[in-house]
Amino acid sequence: MGAERKSYVFLALFVLLICTEAVLVHGAASGNGNNNGNGNNGNNNGNGKEGKDNGNGINGNDNGNGNHGDSNGNGNNGNGNGNGNGGNGNGNENNGKDNGNGNGNNTGNGNGNNGNGNGNGNGKGKGDDDPETTNYDELSPLASGQERSFCKGKGGRCYFKTLVCPSECPGKKPKKNKKNKGCFVDCKKCEVTCKWRKPNCDGYGSLCYDPRFVGGDGVMFYFHGAKGGNFAIVSDDNLQINAHFIGTRPQGRTRDYTWVQALAVMFDSHTLVISANRVSKWDDNSDALSIRWDGETIGIPADGDAEWRTNSDGRKVVVERTDDTNNVRVTVSGLLAMDIKVRPIGKEENRVHNYQLPENDAFAHLETQFKFTNLSDLVEGVVGKTYRPDYVSPVKRGVPMPMMGGEDKYQTPSLFSTLCKSCRFQRPSGVASI
């Protein structure tokens, strides 16, 4: 009888343990959500709180690891994945759709609002703007003339590796630099590519047309400014770039059509100005580009290296032609590179947009693409702020001309002034503006 009683006791303990384990498993899987789980290769998996279709799995759909979110995820190879709070379709994964930190659409890595965050509609992919991209030493070229670069970025997959330019573009600056592609070395991606050295008006950091920007977050927006106005495009601790706007206002319109006619790049105690000259009739074979360094006009040779350079205060500044006329690349070591093209408003463009431009002005203006190498997390400016790591674009999506405000925050008294409501850059003491 005693042995029988012991058997019942052991059986009761065993049943109690089974029930306890079931309660724990149920609590871990439910998390106050619907269709929750924590498995792999599953649909509607979850590990979230008060969420629908949340998951933390791999190769699953509608995976998530967020709170109060629909279809959020933190997995790989998934659709509609995310890592945001309160957002739809937010993403921080690879090889999926609606991903963040890349060049995808409807991406996100932040807080809610349909994939906004660091993705801002087109991903937070700064690409060449990362300093690790160009963190390399130049090595002697091969006998074939192909240039070599020794990558130095610690922790990257290219650390201590040598990259060689392909035979199709053996040099970063080709001898016939105005007619051939150049070699671009990317030590972060561990690759070399051949590219034309011209501004890409659809690329990150571009400023073209009736000013249309593509920010560091990949989001396109328009900023109209004002005819004759000057605005801080970038303002940071060690750099300010102002733009001078030209424009016209046809009869019956309530605002100006505007274009960027000049850029002033200010750093240390120096100012570099790139501007388009006013021309009555456009000629592709005539240079309409002017460059000034600290108030003095400089000429860019058309032959040989076709460049002007200086080394001041430990910074190399290079302005080189990338075509026979009206195209240059500007490089300021440790700060930025700019590809710039001067172009007019053509007759057909004038007719289609009804600009009603006068016959004696081609409205020559600049198309520019910026690549920055050392911006702070608090950078300001019309395009500068889009490079902040926590930036969320306020522009309206899905409209032909998404507008960005901020004229009052970034307007400066002159092209050379560093003063505006949100400007950060300050000249060294004792340095006067031009």
Side-chain angles (χ1 to χ4, degrees), residues 47-51 54 64-74 81-92 108-118 392:
N47 192 20
K49 297 176 180 179
E50 300 179 21
N54 301 308
N65 193 20
N67 300 324
H68 303 282
D70 297 333
S71 303
N72 302 309
N74 193 21
N81 302 309
N83 193 21
N85 297 322
N88 299 319
N90 303 307
N92 190 21
N109 189 19
N111 297 320
N113 298 324
N114 299 316
N116 297 320
N118 286 351
V392 178

Side-chain angles (χ1 to χ4, degrees), residues 1-11:
M1 194 66 182
E4 221 176 296
R5 205 174 278 168
K6 286 181 182 179
S7 297
Y8 286 132
V9 170
F10 283 129
L11 180 60

Side-chain angles (χ1 to χ4, degrees), residues 370-387:
F370 303 96
K371 294 180 181 177
F372 303 103
T373 54
N374 194 27
L375 295 177
S376 76
D377 290 348
L378 298 177
V379 59
E380 277 287 359
V382 177
V383 73
K385 64 185 176 183
T386 68
Y387 285 84

